[in-house]
Amino acid sequence: MSSASQVAERDVPFQLRGNSFTMMVLKVFAPTSPNFFTQLNVKVRQAPNFFHNAPVVLDFDDLPEAIVFDLGAFVAQVQALNLLPVGFQGGPQAVREAAMNVGLTPMPSGRAAKLEEVVKAPDPRQPDQQAPVAAPQVLIEVVHRPTVVVTEPVRSGMRVYAEKTDLIVTSSVSPGAELLADGNIHVYGALRGRALAGFSGDTNARIFCHSLEAEVLSVAGNYRISEDIGSDFYKKAVQVFLRDGVLSMDLLKTG
Amino acid sequence: MSKIIVMTSGKGGVGKTTSSAAFATGLALRGFKTVVIDFDVGLRNLDLVMGCERRVVFDFINVINGEAKLNQALIKDKRIENLYILPTSQTRDKDALTREGVEKVLNELSKEFDYILCDSPAGIERGALMSLYFADHAIIVTNPEVSSVRDSDRILGVLNSRSRRAEQGLEPVTQQLLLTRYDPERVEKGEMLKVDDVLEILAIPLLGVIPESQAVLRASNVGMPVILDEVSNAGLAYSDAVGRFLGEDIEHRFVTPQKKGLFSRLLRRSA
């Protein structure tokens, strides 16, 4: 069975798969404003790693119908800030055509959820840097995937997968049950089953639990079985994470 | 409106059939018209424990297949008013249980009976799934040892995901724990799990604790539900459990070792 599918993979030069990606949306209100790129630059500098080479979708939905601007130059300036415009949404017909001509992909418009973290208040050290009333507004939005929350006990033989997000279990996880999450895992009852965080390879993922009695713990494929969990941590509130690529555990301070 | 109860456990040999027989008898003794159905197709036992094995002509599968009428297959208990047994087939296998067939029989029974008790086979395959699918209430039979507890945990997960109530998004199947073959002395020595240990893992309400008792085997061998043995601890414990099931507030007993005087030690062998 498995060998047959391996042969099939070798004979076929490609495979088509559906996938979904999280991308930022750059809502463009006034692209011709002289302050546009200085303000955007300030935003990007607040979290340079987060924005470095980040794919963005340009949202032209709020542009006035009669607007005229050089889209090619605009895109080049966005690229100069190490953002990668990959597509666009909405906008007047002329802008849409121009966007297609510079190679941007039209994206189906869906409503993005606001990510509060990204848009921060102005730096308190520079209180005088108040935006003038007529200043262009730059609002960055990220598609948000809600955390999976399980309130019932996770029984033996059950498997819960939080795809591309975090997993919170407010009840206990029985021996023989399996928790998988691409993000972090939190268990507020006893964790007696398996918990695999960073399931798709995120080495920053962590496992937090109220009472550690797990069979297997894993972060991004680095695992530890219950035999190797020291008695110092057994039935304690613990966080599990990768420290220099090695699965580590710390007691959580409670109370 | 009749209530459908499933007696289930995942693991075999923990006392499902004994408990089904005792529980159905207990409900009938309290005046409820009760039928107990054997879902263990191919491994027919309930009729033996109920002492009606020589009166089986038609069975559950015959009714499902339309080869017999329900009234021809139902066996009326000779001892207790209001108690009926629907035996299963010894020659067929679990594939004979179809969802439509089971539903048809349960619908027909629910016109007449207050309680329909389904005695589940071991495992989590077709027989067990069919016995729990239509349930309103589940009694989880568990022994105080780790493998039984884990299997019970598994079957609770199945109830929460694959029962009719779960599939149709109705009020979930209510679940209660019946801890059987409990030996307080061995628990005290650390050879068996404590009641609290089991409750901590399964996290469902406790319906009753049935003490390990020679009366159970004795009763099975003569085809008498052990609840009718009114001097045995096991019989009394089942009677308490039925009371609790019906909403009575009864304190749990037989969970701590009985103090033994010289007299009872001398008589221990005959106990």
Side-chain angles (χ1 to χ4, degrees):
Chain A
M1 183 74 187
S2 67
S3 66
S5 69
Q6 276 161 12
V7 169
E9 269 175 35
R10 242 180 278 128
D11 288 346
V12 178
F14 62 83
Q15 189 179 25
L16 275 176
R17 276 188 181 164
N19 211 335
S20 57
F21 299 91
T22 302
M23 275 185 281
M24 276 182 291
V25 174
L26 180 64
K27 274 182 102 60
V28 182
F29 299 137
T32 51
S33 161
N35 290 332
F36 189 98
F37 287 99
T38 44
Q39 296 252 332
L40 183 58
N41 192 24
V42 169
K43 281 285 176 238
V44 170
R45 278 167 180 276
Q46 285 176 356
N49 288 331
F50 180 81
F51 289 113
H52 188 75
N53 284 343
V56 293
V57 173
L58 305 176
D59 187 338
F60 298 130
D61 240 356
D62 294 300
L63 290 184
E65 197 62 42
I67 192 157
V68 178
F69 71 108
D70 183 348
L71 191 83
F74 178 81
V75 168
Q77 274 187 284
V78 174
Q79 283 166 340
L81 295 173
N82 284 325
L83 294 171
L84 298 177
V86 294
F88 70 97
Q89 276 183 330
Q93 186 61 29
V95 176
R96 296 167 64 87
E97 278 168 17
M100 300 271 273
N101 286 337
V102 299
L104 293 179
T105 311
M107 309 293 275
S109 57
R111 280 275 53 87
K114 201 165 162 184
L115 187 75
E116 298 291 345
E117 282 303 306
V118 178
V119 187
K120 284 186 182 149
D123 194 330
R125 284 168 300 184
Q126 296 159 287
D128 54 332
Q129 202 199 40
Q130 282 258 316
V133 182
Q137 291 173 310
V138 177
L139 187 65
I140 293 170
E141 290 179 319
V142 176
V143 178
H144 168 70
R145 263 188 114 91
T147 300
V148 175
V149 180
V150 178
T151 55
E152 295 286 300
V154 184
R155 305 280 183 190
S156 181
M158 288 172 76
R159 185 178 224 218
V160 183
Y161 178 28
E163 194 180 354
K164 295 187 174 72
T165 186
D166 289 359
L167 173 61
I168 295 177
V169 180
T170 58
S171 186
S172 285
V173 180
S174 293
E178 196 165 64
L179 304 181
L180 310 169
D182 290 334
N184 305 302
I185 295 176
H186 305 249
V187 180
Y188 294 99
L191 171 55
R192 303 193 177 96
R194 297 157 165 253
L196 290 78
F199 188 61
S200 300
D202 181 1
T203 52
N204 290 318
R206 293 183 181 218
I207 300 166
F208 304 87
C209 62
H210 200 67
S211 178
L212 178 65
E213 301 162 45
E215 296 173 317
V216 174
L217 295 166
S218 164
V219 174
N222 299 273
Y223 68 90
R224 195 183 283 217
I225 58 174
S226 66
E227 276 185 357
D228 304 332
I229 297 170
S231 56
D232 294 350
F233 298 103
Y234 186 68
K235 291 202 173 180
K236 299 276 168 53
V238 174
Q239 65 164 322
V240 184
F241 58 101
L242 291 183
R243 186 185 276 140
D244 301 327
V246 178
L247 196 77
S248 308
M249 297 191 287
D250 271 355
L251 291 178
L252 288 170
K253 290 190 185 73
T254 50
Chain B
M1 188 62 194
S2 71
K3 255 190 136 182
I4 302 176
I5 307 168
V6 62
M7 190 76 73
T8 189
S9 69
K11 194 175 184 302
V14 296
K16 283 181 295 299
T17 300
T18 300
S19 298
S20 294
F23 223 81
T25 307
L27 289 168
L29 279 172
R30 285 166 185 260
F32 295 101
K33 193 166 183 190
T34 306
V35 59
V36 54
I37 310 175
D38 192 348
F39 273 79
D40 204 351
V41 186
L43 297 166
R44 193 178 88 193
N45 279 158
L46 181 69
D47 51 323
L48 288 171
V49 177
M50 294 294 295
C52 63
E53 73 277 10
R54 284 185 289 185
R55 297 163 61 205
V56 177
V57 182
F58 295 108
D59 59 48
F60 187 23
I61 304 302
N62 291 138
V63 180
I64 286 177
N65 292 342
E67 296 151 4
K69 289 214 172 71
L70 188 56
N71 284 334
Q72 292 176 293
L74 280 175
I75 300 175
K76 188 178 185 317
D77 190 86
K78 282 186 171 169
R79 294 159 294 215
I80 314 221
E81 193 71 10
N82 292 328
L83 180 59
Y84 290 79
I85 300 108
L86 183 54
T88 193
S89 164
Q90 179 71 355
T91 54
R92 310 289 289 272
D93 61 32
K94 308 285 194 281
D95 293 337
L97 292 168
T98 61
R99 185 176 288 180
E100 296 71 30
V102 172
E103 185 173 24
K104 188 187 75 181
V105 174
L106 290 179
N107 280 343
E108 207 169 329
L109 287 171
S110 61
K111 287 178 202 152
E112 251 187 274
F113 289 90
D114 298 315
Y115 286 102
I116 301 169
L117 209 159
C118 303
D119 181 24
S120 168
I124 50 169
E125 287 79 30
R126 188 170 194 86
L129 290 179
M130 284 299 118
S131 72
L132 66 78
Y133 185 77
F134 295 99
D136 302 306
H137 187 92
I139 299 174
I140 311 299
V141 185
T142 306
N143 288 167
E145 49 100 12
V146 285
S147 59
S148 174
V149 173
R150 179 175 294 190
D151 290 359
S152 294
D153 196 49
R154 181 81 167 96
I155 207 83
L156 283 167
V158 172
L159 273 163
N160 289 338
S161 58
R162 301 183 66 183
S163 60
R164 181 181 63 95
R165 283 175 174 271
E167 283 184 3
Q168 297 182 0
L170 305 171
E171 192 97 332
V173 180
T174 51
Q175 301 157 341
Q176 286 174 300
L177 174 68
L178 192 63
L179 196 58
T180 55
R181 307 201 66 168
Y182 195 77
D183 186 335
E185 286 173 23
R186 295 189 66 189
V187 170
E188 205 144 88
K189 285 186 211 156
E191 296 172 0
M192 272 187 181
L193 294 177
K194 290 197 285 278
V195 178
D196 291 344
D197 296 338
V198 179
L199 288 175
E200 198 188 319
I201 294 180
L202 296 181
I204 56 172
L206 180 65
L207 182 61
V209 178
I210 312 298
E212 175 77 9
S213 166
Q214 299 186 3
V216 172
L217 188 60
R218 205 160 53 216
S220 291
N221 284 337
V222 299
M224 179 188 83
V226 70
I227 199 168
L228 295 174
D229 182 349
E230 286 166 2
V231 296
S232 73
N233 288 350
L236 295 170
Y238 273 117
S239 190
D240 288 356
V242 172
R244 283 186 209 106
F245 181 82
L246 296 170
E248 293 167 28
D249 190 11
I250 303 172
E251 209 179 322
H252 289 278
R253 43 180 172 170
F254 316 119
V255 289
T256 49
Q258 287 170 300
K259 289 201 182 75
K260 283 211 169 113
L262 180 65
F263 190 64
S264 67
R265 269 181 220 201
L266 288 172
L267 290 175
R268 187 163 44 174
R269 282 177 182 277
S270 61

